Amino acid sequence: MPATREPEADLSVLPKADGSARYSYAGYTVTGSVNGPIEAQRRDEHAYEAHVDVIVRPAAGVGGTRERHLETTLQSSLTQLILVKNFPRSLIQIVLQVESAPENDYVNTKLVQASLNFAIIPALLQTAVLALLSAAVPMRATATSAIVAVVSQDGASELVADPSPREVEAAQSVHVLAFTSQDELLLAESEGDFTVKEWDDVYDTAKRICCQSGATKGESIEMVLDEKGDNGPDMRQFLRSTLETKVVADLYWK
Amino acid sequence: MPREAEPSLNERQFVLQALTENLRLDGREFDKYRPLELTFGDEYGVADVTLGKTRVLAKTSAEVTVPYVDRPLDGIFTIATELSPMTSPAFELNRPTETEVLLSRLIEKTVRRSGAMDTESLCLVAGQKCWSVRVDVHVLSHDGNLTDAACFAVVAALRHFRKPDTSMEGGVLTVYTPAEREPVPLSWLHSPFCVTWSFYGEEGEIALLDASWSEEQIRVGSCTISLNRHGEICQIAKLGGTPVEAVALLQCTNVALTKVKEFSTFLDKKLAEDAKRRDKGGLMAELSAENDR
């Protein structure tokens, strides 16, 4: 199956929701919708801040504990980003519908009980941020996310960004990191065995993927040319250009 | 959760007045569908259907399970329709609304109860192993006529789907992964589609096809007719509402048949296009392990 190597995104794809986005990268396709601020239910209502509700829906089967875990992870990250204090007693509802996830052709998967693993977090987070931007929800910063796997080959460990499901299975450890647009670490989730040194390498790689445009802003063009190719796509630049395209299209009449 | 806003008296009057003057808000004729679009995903069994602003995504999946005790020779076939808050914030998770119950019931009756798929062919070892085929319907946006769009998506997804190939040798069942053997299609018998009519006026004398959300909210009754392109009716559901004359209903079924024929050819064309797209280098015929029926 040809997985898209370049990230793709469409903004405001759903006509009814306040904001929505469709994002696809590395075989994952996620559609997200944001409604908010809307009236919160009594049990979710908070006197001083907005409640951020994240719902992750798998493509096939019913959601289980894994989806709930993803929801809590994303919820805590997104609450940091959204200016929740601006909207007391209200609700910001984010629904993330997984449309497709890369499949491992060499294994027959159990499908009826959905089990999204955490390799999907970058796609979910990216979609959520794009949908929030499309809904014009005030945010402290935007965020970008990356997944890096540590694969050991002949004794030497190697870092693989955006691993395929087979690589994730064979990897020693998998790490998901997210950075805000101010280059601050927002989310760090790891699975498997790894050393502190490996984690530091992973951190550097992920930061390069997430925060490239910020890092190369003041530096020479050769640097950019040099780093391209082996570092994968530049997520922050991608986020920015997607929004620029959208804004240009929306303000065309002016 | 906030409730969906109901149309105001002015809006109501406006739409109804226009209808009595043979006009619809979007300028369509009364028996005309909004543009229908269908795209298949990279995987097998994913269909994305757009009908105007209504958008439905259906995904089919299959796994090997134990059959039900009372039906040892049948496979399991389920259709799951759950409306998420993505459709509208008025829908809440795990709390089915009337719309959702009616939708799943209608699709169930149309596709499952009409025997569109041969469930006996899903049986692998009688009483021990069978395929469980599941279709998940995700409603991404709702702008009226959910039933027809969802039904079309389900049928398209099922016809596009390929399940892993299996073989039995000496009582040992082998399920081949997609890398080992090309997956095989389901045994499909006929393709039923839903056509929904909405009625307006005091005696339901105005009948509209493919009502949009604003039209749907002010109708006095509706009738869903499911049939296949041979004109075999699977079900007719008229759930309450203003009574409609029998002759008018007959007229509706006749128009429904022409619409279903259009759907059928459209789906066949799209499936053929997709097969062509996948068949790069013309190797599909050799890879296929499927027998002619």
Side-chain angles (χ1 to χ4, degrees), chain A residues 14-16 22 31 33 35 41 43 55 57-61 93 95 97 99-100 103 105-106 108 110-112, chain B residues 1 43 55 57 59 61-63 82 84-86 89 92-93 134 136 138 142 164 175-179 213:
Chain A
L14 307 176
K16 289 239 163 177
R22 186 171 193 261
T31 299
S33 80
N35 281 307
Q41 268 187 316
R43 62 185 151 93
I55 300 162
R57 289 170 58 81
Q93 193 173 46
V95 187
Q97 170 75 58
E99 281 186 27
S100 66
E103 271 174 35
D105 268 356
Y106 296 86
N108 277 314
K110 278 262 180 195
L111 284 162
V112 171
Chain B
M1 295 293 122
E43 300 160 64
R55 189 160 156 226
L57 180 84
K59 184 179 161 86
S61 47
E63 72 165 352
E82 205 188 340
S84 70
M86 183 179 270
E92 214 177 317
L93 273 190
R134 180 188 166 99
D136 287 87
H138 304 297
H142 178 16
V175 180
Y176 296 100
T177 60
W213 176 236

